[in-house]
Amino acid sequence: YWLYCVTTSAEPRLFVDFGADSCVIIRDRARFGQMLREATRQQLSGAAMNDGPAIYVDPLLPDPLLQKTAEVVVPFVKHFGYTYQDEHRFCWLPAAPIQEVTHVDVEIGSLKEFSDLIVL
């Protein structure tokens, strides 16, 4: 699968964790998601895109609700030690199993109308 992760908060620790010197604040999340979906439709032909919040789990004591569900979507599960990252994930699952997933660069167009670039 292909995975793109963003945060829904501006936690200062994230800049340190990821060695970042800037960030982009998206003011219209729905529009961003739609642009991302459209841009990847051709590049990842046949892959189903899903998005949602990361599910933080204690690996030693998994949530009983998680165990009762028929399906756990692995790309959305993350160690509970990273809860502060408050992730929202975009995931593309190939239509059929493939041996190796390669890196894909995606260009979605200008975000100027609904985002701000913050440089530290």
Side-chain angles (χ1 to χ4, degrees):
Y1 58 89
W2 294 271
L3 189 64
Y4 181 68
C5 304
V6 297
T7 184
T8 59
S9 67
E11 173 65 43
R13 180 176 170 185
L14 295 174
F15 291 93
V16 175
D17 285 359
F18 295 101
D21 63 0
S22 60
C23 71
V24 176
I25 306 292
I26 304 292
R27 294 187 310 276
D28 189 340
R29 294 177 187 178
R31 185 171 174 192
F32 175 79
Q34 185 59 34
M35 289 174 72
L36 189 58
R37 182 179 304 279
E38 289 173 9
T40 57
R41 188 171 285 133
Q42 289 183 0
Q43 283 184 286
L44 303 174
S45 182
M49 181 180 135
N50 294 298
D51 73 291
I55 301 165
Y56 296 97
V57 176
D58 180 341
L60 299 178
L61 298 168
D63 185 334
L65 293 175
L66 200 62
Q67 293 175 5
K68 291 179 184 176
T69 60
E71 182 180 322
V72 174
V73 183
V74 172
F76 288 91
V77 176
K78 188 167 183 174
H79 191 283
F80 76 120
Y82 298 102
T83 304
Y84 71 94
Q85 291 179 350
D86 201 17
E87 275 189 47
H88 186 89
R89 293 181 166 197
F90 296 89
C91 177
W92 294 263
L93 299 171
I98 55 178
Q99 287 293 336
E100 185 177 335
V101 176
T102 58
H103 173 85
V104 174
D105 285 319
V106 176
E107 291 185 29
I108 67 172
S110 176
L111 306 177
K112 279 186 176 183
E113 291 181 24
F114 60 95
S115 70
D116 299 301
L117 174 63
I118 308 296
V119 180
L120 302 179

